[in-house]
Amino acid sequence: MIKTEELQINIGPQHPSTHGVFRMLVTVDGETITDLKPVFGYLHRNHEQIAEVNTYLQNMPYTDRLDYFNSMANNHAYAIAVEKLAGIEVPERAEYIRVLMVELTRVLNHAGALGFLINDMGAWQTQLAFGMREREKILDLFESASGARLMCNYFRFGGVVRDLPDDFMPRLKDLLVAMPAFIDELERLLRENEILLQRSEGIGILPRDLAIAYSVTGPVLRASGVAYDVRKAEPYSVYDRFDFDVPVGSVGDVYDRILVRIEEMRQSKRIIEQIIEQLPDAQGGHINPKARQNVRPPVGDVYARVESPKGELGFYLVSDGSTKPYRYKVRAPSFINLTPLGDMCRGYKVADVVVILGSIDIVMGEVDR
Amino acid sequence: MDIQRGNIIVMDRRTGKLRAGQGLLQGLKVVWDHWAASFRKNENFTQIRGNFTVEYPDERLQLPQAYRNMPVLLYDDESGHELCTGCYQCQRICPPQVIHITQAKDPVTGKMVPAATEFIIEYDACMSCGFCAEVCPFDSIKMDHVFELSTADHDSLTMRKAQLNRPISYYTSIAPDLWEGVKAGAMKKLQGNIKRRPGVIGMAPSLTEKIKARRQELAEAAAAAPPAAAPAAPAAPAGKLTPEEKAAKLAAMKAANAAKKAGGEAAPAEAPAAELSPADAKAAKLAAIKAANAAKKAGGEAAPAEAPAAELSPADAKAAKLAAIKAANAAKKAAEAAPAVAAPTTGNGTAAPTDEKAARLAAIKAANAAKKAAEQGNNE
């Protein structure tokens, strides 16, 4: 008599499709997933504890290393948190430069994320190479402004470390000419592609209610049909001055997440165009000259959040009045978006797990901290 | 939810206009177009097609001035004084705590001197955040552009002060605008600090040894000048030397010393220079060695002349003396030229190529002169 039994297998931690050292404990019935437990912690590097022995400024380069794809967005969230805590004002021009950098980050993150997602589906390197090419152009801009491509460490309390170099704006305008062409081409390549549709349509559905219950944020939440964007819900910096739309999905599957990300790149481009218009009239310099970098905030606590390309990135800081934070907590979007992975994968095939994981767009540096 | 200044767009899932397979072909056309365009080099960033590849070790992109990799310490080209005062600002702010400074002390009074005797940066743990360069009130610490630092062992990445020193001329060659912004203040502060530094404290280690040696020589020369006759006197009974012969011997010795000095000065330059500008430094070294050899030969030829000196006619002795003096001068010239080679090349070969060239030229000239002198000595 033939007997079947469930099998437990590990995907990861050393697996090229797990986007880092991440383990999924999968229970399979044949090819079908009956249960999946995400196992974190392989990249834990004591980030929050280290931050509590550092001064406030010394933590800035460490935030680069959380989500190493989007160091500018991490810097922004941390800078806002400390500025709120210490009551530092930011000049208008610095705010524009910050938003410009963060929106460029969003474009490069989505270009890379879609490339890696297509990579996970088996279209080895083609879309990734196109995405990485656009990403390199943006990284060149980051390098000329901040001095580094990935670990930018560009933000300071009260502004940014130095003003944009002279050749930045012409190069940015060149980039904006190429960007719509790139996004349109990306859409032509992916949107109607029958193979991609088969791998992504109806796969990894995260229902709206479940997404809210899991506190999922970012493109994953919006793909599930919730129009929640921190830039709109609680406008920080100068986001209330820009016109841009919030794309949402209707089903909440992998395909919706792809579409939402493509549209978000378009909206980011719109914001960048408005920044270029408004930046010359902005008041003030690149940094508040009165802002002390060696801050000693008054006793109290603060939670500041931004819409990072991956979702809501928040910093919770408690000050005891010294130069070092008493408590430093990161609300990492990758980590929280990863928690419903088990529910998203249940009932699908083993091959879909990798695609669903890729569509969440995680960076393990941020998940484990 | 209401949204200010924008709309909620519900993504259109499928246009539905294409028949089965057409979407695939449309995608394939994109890939094909890219492939077809990839044979053309394209550096225009408004384009998305073409070959953007930079063949890295052969081709390199121009690094922006603000680029930061690892911190280095600057010293003034002219005075050789370091800008660093050992104020510990960078050591305090360094997030991974990799900077270790030892403050200089006056050896006589024991008071603090605005200079660092040792300055260590552990490159292997440095996170290249650039805070040290930002916080430095004397603009001494700056971020270098060199990024090819791979080695097989960690120990060699613990950089001491001698390895961190770069002349200001090197920094202006990589980041002219950034230096222009801080130049006036930095140089003014440096002038103030130099006044408070006794002796060679605060000088770049590559220069300190040389300056010490030079000062000692000058002091010895000053001290040795009057009693020079004394050692000469006991020499007289040994060899029945005529005054001319004695002079020739002295000149030969001087030439030998000068030549040795030329060799000695050029040698320390070899280590840092060889890595950075192998061709020029090597040539300079070679020329200096040649000069030394030639001078030595001249000296050597003159020195044995001492033994059969008795047989020599006064005229011959005079000629030998002349040749030896010439050799000494040439060698001295070479010696003077050699430090000039050493100084700029410690930082980077590109720092002062003209100086190097001049030094090389001088060294070659010296070698030629010395050779000629030696030949003359032989002939006569």
Side-chain angles (χ1 to χ4, degrees):
Chain A
M1 199 177 126
I2 298 169
K3 202 176 76 178
T4 63
E5 60 180 85
E6 289 195 333
L7 185 68
Q8 273 205 332
I9 51 167
N10 278 311
I11 302 181
Q14 312 289 346
H15 191 275
S17 296
T18 56
H19 295 244
V21 277
F22 172 53
R23 180 157 71 101
M24 289 172 278
L25 186 58
V26 185
T27 312
V28 287
D29 178 11
E31 275 282 309
T32 312
I33 309 272
T34 55
D35 194 22
L36 184 146
K37 275 187 199 145
V39 184
F40 317 128
Y42 291 94
L43 202 64
H44 181 70
R45 22 186 225 293
N46 221 359
H47 177 84
E48 292 176 1
Q49 206 70 61
I50 288 173
E52 286 162 22
V53 300
N54 280 346
T55 65
Y56 285 93
L57 182 63
Q58 283 178 341
N59 286 332
M60 190 62 87
Y62 281 98
T63 62
D64 287 339
R65 284 139 177 95
L66 278 172
D67 174 358
Y68 40 78
F69 236 70
N70 312 312
S71 61
M72 292 284 194
N74 303 343
N75 281 183
H76 197 191
Y78 182 63
I80 287 178
V82 176
E83 280 156 11
K84 253 184 167 177
L85 195 59
I88 298 170
E89 280 182 14
V90 185
E92 210 180 359
R93 183 179 168 80
E95 292 278 25
Y96 276 104
I97 295 173
R98 284 177 169 194
V99 174
L100 170 62
M101 292 300 176
V102 172
E103 291 305 318
L104 284 172
T105 300
R106 199 178 312 279
V107 175
L108 80 81
N109 177 71
H110 288 348
L114 290 173
F116 282 117
L117 175 58
I118 308 307
N119 222 4
D120 289 341
M121 290 180 182
W124 191 241
Q125 296 289 337
T126 305
Q127 174 52 41
L128 184 63
F130 298 161
M132 284 289 162
R133 184 198 59 230
E134 294 310 303
R135 179 173 169 268
E136 282 302 308
K137 294 177 186 174
I138 297 172
L139 290 185
D140 280 348
L141 289 179
F142 284 180
E143 193 182 27
S144 72
S146 74
R149 303 172 77 79
L150 289 178
M151 303 297 126
C152 296
N153 189 20
Y154 187 52
F155 289 38
R156 294 290 178 274
F157 309 134
V160 293
V161 60
R162 65 177 76 79
D163 212 335
L164 301 175
D166 296 337
D167 62 343
F168 189 91
M169 277 298 160
R171 288 168 75 187
L172 178 64
K173 282 170 188 162
D174 277 2
L175 184 73
L176 285 187
V177 175
M179 207 185 280
F182 163 68
I183 299 169
D184 289 347
E185 190 185 82
L186 183 65
E187 207 164 6
R188 273 213 305 287
L189 181 62
L190 301 183
R191 197 182 171 98
E192 304 281 339
N193 191 316
E194 279 82 359
I195 301 172
L196 182 109
L197 286 170
Q198 289 211 337
R199 292 302 304 273
S200 64
E201 246 187 334
I203 304 289
I205 294 175
L206 182 66
R208 185 192 158 97
D209 297 342
L210 198 61
I212 294 171
Y214 270 112
S215 316
V216 167
T217 48
V220 183
L221 176 69
R222 288 192 283 276
S224 296
V226 184
Y228 175 79
D229 187 321
V230 183
R231 294 174 291 172
K232 291 289 189 195
E234 190 194 306
Y236 53 94
S237 198
V238 285
Y239 273 112
D240 50 354
R241 302 186 190 180
F242 306 122
D243 295 316
F244 65 98
D245 302 336
V246 178
V248 296
S250 46
V251 178
D253 58 359
V254 174
Y255 188 56
D256 264 344
R257 285 171 212 142
I258 295 173
L259 296 182
V260 165
R261 290 209 170 91
I262 293 175
E263 187 57 31
E264 276 190 17
M265 284 200 268
R266 289 215 174 88
Q267 299 303 327
S268 287
K269 183 190 158 274
R270 263 178 84 186
I271 297 175
I272 294 167
E273 279 167 350
Q274 292 170 59
I275 292 171
I276 292 176
E277 260 172 45
Q278 297 177 19
L279 186 62
D281 302 328
Q283 301 293 311
H286 66 280
I287 194 162
N288 180 355
K290 286 180 198 156
R292 276 175 59 93
Q293 296 303 314
N294 190 13
V295 287
R296 196 185 278 271
V299 178
D301 62 339
V302 70
Y303 178 73
R305 54 185 189 162
V306 301
E307 182 72 24
S308 113
K310 296 192 165 59
E312 179 185 323
L313 172 66
F315 279 87
Y316 177 65
L317 301 175
V318 179
S319 167
D320 59 354
S322 72
T323 56
K324 294 167 183 175
Y326 176 75
R327 177 79 176 97
Y328 169 104
K329 165 89 177 79
V330 186
R331 185 229 185 262
S334 294
F335 172 66
I336 291 170
N337 291 357
L338 199 52
T339 45
L341 186 67
D343 284 330
M344 284 157 83
C345 292
R346 200 162 292 127
Y348 298 102
K349 305 292 181 202
V350 172
D352 296 330
V353 171
V354 169
V355 177
I356 295 167
L357 179 69
S359 74
I360 302 174
D361 181 20
I362 54 158
V363 160
M364 289 314 288
E366 195 177 46
V367 175
D368 287 341
R369 300 193 290 286
Chain B
M1 197 179 96
D2 276 351
I3 281 187
Q4 302 288 316
R5 307 196 65 160
N7 305 309
I8 297 170
I9 319 173
V10 178
M11 294 311 297
D12 182 11
R13 281 176 69 86
R14 192 95 76 91
T15 54
K17 284 175 193 162
L18 300 179
R19 283 190 301 278
Q22 277 190 348
L24 203 62
L25 291 174
Q26 190 181 269
L28 275 176
K29 187 175 181 302
V30 171
V31 178
W32 170 264
D33 286 348
H34 271 285
W35 182 79
S38 68
F39 295 101
R40 183 167 41 82
K41 187 90 185 154
N42 194 349
E43 275 154 10
N44 184 356
F45 275 10
T46 59
Q47 306 279 312
I48 57 164
R49 296 218 174 105
N51 181 2
F52 290 91
T53 311
V54 178
E55 302 282 349
Y56 156 60
D58 304 326
E59 289 178 65
R60 277 153 200 267
L61 290 174
Q62 169 95 35
L63 289 170
Q65 288 190 28
Y67 179 79
R68 58 186 151 85
N69 196 44
M70 290 292 169
V72 291
L73 282 175
L74 296 188
Y75 69 84
D76 184 23
D77 289 69
E78 285 163 25
S79 63
H81 272 278
E82 284 166 351
L83 275 64
C84 177
T85 64
C87 67
Y88 295 102
Q89 292 262 20
C90 48
Q91 184 176 327
R92 271 190 218 113
I93 203 159
C94 180
Q97 304 280 300
V98 297
I99 302 180
H100 310 283
I101 303 174
T102 313
Q103 173 99 40
K105 273 184 188 166
D106 192 319
V108 183
T109 61
K111 280 184 186 163
M112 294 290 190
V113 173
T117 47
E118 188 50 284
F119 197 107
I120 297 171
I121 301 181
E122 296 165 49
Y123 269 15
D124 49 347
C126 172
M127 72 203 289
S128 300
C129 63
F131 279 159
C132 48
E134 271 167 50
V135 81
C136 183
F138 301 97
D139 290 294
S140 161
I141 202 162
K142 291 287 174 198
M143 302 308 275
D144 200 359
H145 286 196
V146 176
F147 52 84
E148 290 148 324
L149 297 162
S150 326
T151 63
D153 62 325
H154 279 271
D155 290 347
S156 66
L157 287 171
T158 301
M159 296 294 186
R160 305 185 82 86
K161 197 168 74 159
Q163 294 158 289
L164 292 170
N165 266 312
R166 304 281 185 280
I168 288 175
S169 57
Y170 167 67
Y171 186 63
T172 52
S173 72
I174 59 171
D177 294 350
L178 295 183
W179 178 249
E180 208 52 48
V182 298
K183 187 181 173 184
M187 295 317 281
K188 201 177 163 196
K189 284 173 190 166
L190 176 67
Q191 293 313 319
N193 287 325
I194 288 177
K195 283 176 200 154
R196 294 163 59 202
R197 290 172 175 172
V200 293
I201 291 175
M203 285 201 179
S206 57
L207 304 176
T208 317
E209 291 309 312
K210 248 167 267 160
I211 291 160
K212 265 187 190 163
R214 172 67 61 83
R215 282 188 184 173
Q216 203 175 349
E217 247 164 49
L218 287 175
E220 271 173 12
K240 297 134 269 178
L241 297 175
T242 62
E244 282 90 344
E245 283 158 9
K246 235 188 256 172
K249 195 179 160 191
L250 203 72
M253 271 157 76
K254 266 188 192 163
N257 283 345
K260 230 181 254 169
K261 208 164 98 193
E265 297 275 2
E270 163 208 359
E275 307 156 15
L276 296 160
S277 59
D280 284 5
K282 216 172 173 181
K285 191 188 154 194
L286 207 74
I289 289 169
K290 267 185 191 165
N293 285 345
K296 232 181 248 169
K297 214 160 121 194
E301 299 277 0
E306 159 206 356
E311 288 122 49
L312 283 175
S313 68
D316 281 5
K318 211 174 175 183
K321 190 181 159 191
L322 201 74
I325 289 169
K326 267 188 190 165
N329 284 346
K332 226 181 251 169
K333 218 158 116 195
E336 273 162 19
V341 180
T345 46
T346 47
N348 191 315
T350 56
T354 50
D355 283 4
E356 244 174 54
K357 216 170 169 184
R360 195 176 146 192
L361 207 73
I364 290 169
K365 268 186 191 164
N368 287 344
K371 222 182 259 169
K372 217 164 150 188
E375 272 164 21
Q376 253 174 26
N378 286 347
N379 292 345
E380 287 173 19

